[in-house]
């Protein structure tokens, strides 16, 4: 349970092999040859999206059928995280109640994700309102080199095929993905609020 003595690392939770291996393989097979686009960062000062075409990874929105496959697993890990990380909350109260559709990430050799915090304003369009509270990364494969997920400057969290990592979407959790060096790293992201 979360308490005042909790360390930031205590709020990073990895559920290992929660996505079955055959589901990971199926998803990669379904998304591998789709029309990926380069990830872009939103620059609020310029009110525009920017990208470094050479190093930014590729992204792809989930189709409804693949989203449907992942939704039960995401609900399970969110419930688990909520139960483990309550702080002076009633038993019926939860930290998050909904989550975004999945976005897939593909890192080819030479691509990476600069360190950042997850203040994703684009999730909210006026109809949906809120702020991201919890970030989730779903690891779909581990047959690549490089591409390590890191927090702060040097805290690397190894992820295996089928793992889901969750952590607060706050400025206190700057994270990124180191440069991929061999093979392709496939993952998915979602944010809860």
């Amino acid at each position: 349970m979360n308490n005042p003595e909790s360390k930031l690392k205590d709020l990073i939770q990895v559920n290992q092999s929660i996505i079955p291996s055959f589901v990971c393989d199926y998803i990669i097979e379904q998304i591998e040859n789709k029309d990926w686009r380069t990830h872009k960062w939103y620059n609020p000062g310029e009110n525009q999206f920017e990208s470094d075409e050479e190093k930014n990874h590729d992204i792809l929105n989930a189709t409804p059928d693949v989203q449907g496959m992942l939704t039960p697993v995401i609900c399970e890990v969110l419930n688990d995280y909520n139960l483990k990380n309550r702080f002076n909350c009633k038993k019926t109260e939860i930290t998050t109640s909904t989550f975004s559709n999945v976005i897939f990430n593909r890192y080819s050799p030479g691509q990476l994700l600069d360190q950042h915090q997850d203040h994703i304003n684009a999730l909210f369009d006026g109809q949906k309102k809120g702020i991201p509270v919890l970030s989730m990364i779903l690891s779909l494969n581990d047959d690549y080199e490089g591409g390590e997920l890191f927090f702060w400057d040097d805290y690397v969290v190894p992820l295996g095929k089928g793992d889901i990592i969750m952590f607060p979407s706050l400025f206190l959790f700057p994270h990124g993905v180191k440069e991929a060096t061999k093979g392709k790293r496939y993952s998915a992201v979602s944010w809860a609020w």
Side-chain angles (χ1 to χ4, degrees):
M1 177 181 282
N2 187 11
N3 63 61
E5 286 77 43
S6 293
K7 294 180 173 48
L8 292 177
K9 291 177 184 176
D10 295 340
L11 297 174
I12 298 172
Q13 177 178 311
V14 178
N15 289 65
Q16 295 180 322
S17 302
I18 192 87
I19 307 169
S21 182
F22 74 91
V23 172
C24 294
D25 294 341
Y26 174 80
I27 290 172
I28 290 172
E29 181 182 302
Q30 293 299 306
I31 65 175
E32 191 168 14
N33 295 317
K34 298 285 185 187
D35 292 327
W36 294 77
R37 63 190 187 279
T38 302
H39 173 265
K40 295 184 178 188
W41 295 102
Y42 179 67
N43 180 340
E46 301 292 324
N47 193 28
Q48 65 184 11
F49 288 89
E50 302 170 348
S51 176
D52 180 340
E53 300 283 333
E54 295 295 315
K55 70 175 187 173
N56 283 18
H57 65 286
D58 301 317
I59 61 172
L60 177 71
N61 293 337
T63 59
D65 60 321
V66 173
Q67 180 70 43
M69 293 175 69
L70 293 173
T71 293
V73 179
I74 292 172
C75 289
E76 181 182 342
V77 297
L78 278 176
N79 185 55
D80 182 54
Y81 191 91
N82 283 326
L83 290 173
K84 287 181 180 172
N85 293 291
R86 293 182 195 280
F87 177 65
N88 292 334
C89 294
K90 298 176 188 173
K91 288 191 175 187
T92 58
E93 190 175 323
I94 61 171
T95 306
T96 60
S97 60
T98 191
F99 55 91
S100 69
N101 286 337
V102 166
I103 297 173
F104 293 106
N105 293 325
R106 180 179 66 190
Y107 299 84
S108 297
Q111 293 181 322
L112 53 82
L113 179 61
D114 289 328
Q115 191 174 38
H116 64 284
Q117 301 92 25
D118 285 346
H119 288 275
I120 319 282
N121 296 331
L123 293 173
F124 308 103
D125 57 7
Q127 297 291 330
K128 292 187 287 188
K129 297 180 185 332
I131 59 168
V133 175
L134 191 66
S135 298
M136 293 170 279
I137 301 172
L138 296 71
S139 178
L140 299 176
N141 70 323
D142 55 12
D143 57 345
Y144 58 87
E145 293 178 15
E148 298 92 352
L149 173 66
F150 69 96
F151 289 83
W152 306 290
D153 288 329
D154 59 358
Y155 183 65
V156 172
V157 179
L159 293 176
K161 183 178 184 177
D163 293 353
I164 297 180
I165 184 170
M166 293 160 288
F167 53 93
S169 305
L170 301 171
F171 71 96
L172 296 171
F173 290 85
H175 59 283
V177 175
K178 295 183 179 185
E179 184 176 324
T181 57
K182 185 177 180 183
K184 291 182 182 175
R185 176 190 192 270
Y186 289 95
S187 60
V189 293
S190 180
W191 299 274
W193 62 92

